[in-house]
Amino acid sequence: MNSPTTPAENIVLIGFMGCGKSTVGRELHHRLGYPLVDMDQVIEQRTGKAITGIFAEEGEAVFRDLETALLEELNDPAAPRRIIATGGGIVERPANRVLLQQLGYVVWLHAPAAVILTRTRKTRSRPLLNTSDSAAIIQSLMERRLPFYQETAHLKLDTSGLCCAELASGILECSRYFFNNRA
Ligand code: S3P
């Protein structure tokens, strides 16, 4: 385990569902050449189930345990630098928030609720939003999670007015500054 004062040099993307973590993660992966760990994808590959299937058959708590176990596994100082794209609910557990900061430079990709609603309407792959009133769910989850994203992130970027390439450029510059200047 890394000590809290010597975080690893990964770039960690956090933020609400539909904020662009996976897309920006792929762009950073192409630019830096670091491996991309998309946590939801890893969990799906390992369990052989879609996230919707895990929620439906085993419940959200089982998914959250898988998420925390993967985060603990990623917190390996011997591992190469990586880009880590997390699921939107990763910040709910206090222990996860500590682990995220130990993993490296934490970037919060933010978008307003209305933008999230438009983006997430295109797919049924997010079990928490497969309800008749996804706007209300987004609103209440966002209210609860915003302080957690705020508390965990080293950098907040509003994604709504920027393209993926611009976001990646900003993250690269800021992360270089962060890693070069930290104690
Ligand atoms: C979740 C977000 C999803 C996925 C799961 C739960 C959440 O990931 O982990 O459906 O609680 O916000 P994305 O943020 O990549 O959609």
Side-chain angles (χ1 to χ4, degrees):
M1 294 271 288
N2 295 307
S3 98
T5 53
T6 55
E9 296 208 356
N10 303 294
I11 296 177
V12 185
L13 304 175
I14 63 170
F16 206 81
M17 292 172 266
C19 69
K21 300 176 298 271
S22 300
T23 312
V24 173
R26 281 193 294 275
E27 179 71 20
L28 290 170
H29 159 70
H30 290 309
R31 295 220 200 161
L32 284 171
Y34 299 175
L36 170 64
V37 179
D38 189 316
M39 291 187 64
D40 282 348
Q41 270 183 21
V42 172
I43 290 172
E44 290 189 327
Q45 280 158 7
R46 289 186 178 177
T47 58
K49 289 181 184 175
I51 303 290
T52 41
I54 302 173
F55 271 67
E57 290 160 30
E58 297 170 68
E60 182 175 350
V62 168
F63 173 76
R64 297 294 171 205
D65 288 343
L66 291 168
E67 236 181 357
T68 300
L70 178 54
L71 211 49
E72 284 167 350
E73 183 187 321
L74 291 171
N75 194 24
D76 170 8
R81 292 178 187 180
R82 291 166 293 205
I83 311 295
I84 300 172
T86 62
I90 196 101
V91 293
E92 295 261 2
R93 289 187 174 176
N96 288 356
R97 301 201 288 274
V98 174
L99 281 166
L100 287 164
Q101 289 194 322
Q102 288 177 5
L103 274 171
Y105 187 58
V106 184
V107 180
W108 170 20
L109 299 179
H110 179 62
V115 173
I116 296 290
L117 183 62
T118 309
R119 289 186 190 162
T120 54
R121 268 195 178 136
K122 294 174 199 152
T123 161
R124 304 273 301 159
S125 66
R126 296 185 173 95
L128 295 178
L129 301 185
N130 289 341
T131 69
S132 54
D133 194 358
S134 51
I137 301 286
I138 289 171
Q139 198 60 47
S140 73
L141 280 177
M142 255 199 179
E143 270 168 32
R144 192 171 75 218
R145 291 176 179 176
L146 284 188
F148 300 149
Y149 294 131
Q150 181 85 51
E151 165 195 323
T152 312
H154 297 108
L155 174 71
K156 175 187 178 187
L157 288 176
D158 193 322
T159 65
S160 45
L162 295 171
C163 70
C164 180
E166 289 168 325
L167 290 166
S169 298
I171 292 168
L172 287 179
E173 275 202 31
C174 294
S175 64
R176 272 194 205 110
Y177 183 83
F178 175 82
F179 290 129
N180 281 340
N181 288 283
R182 66 185 183 174

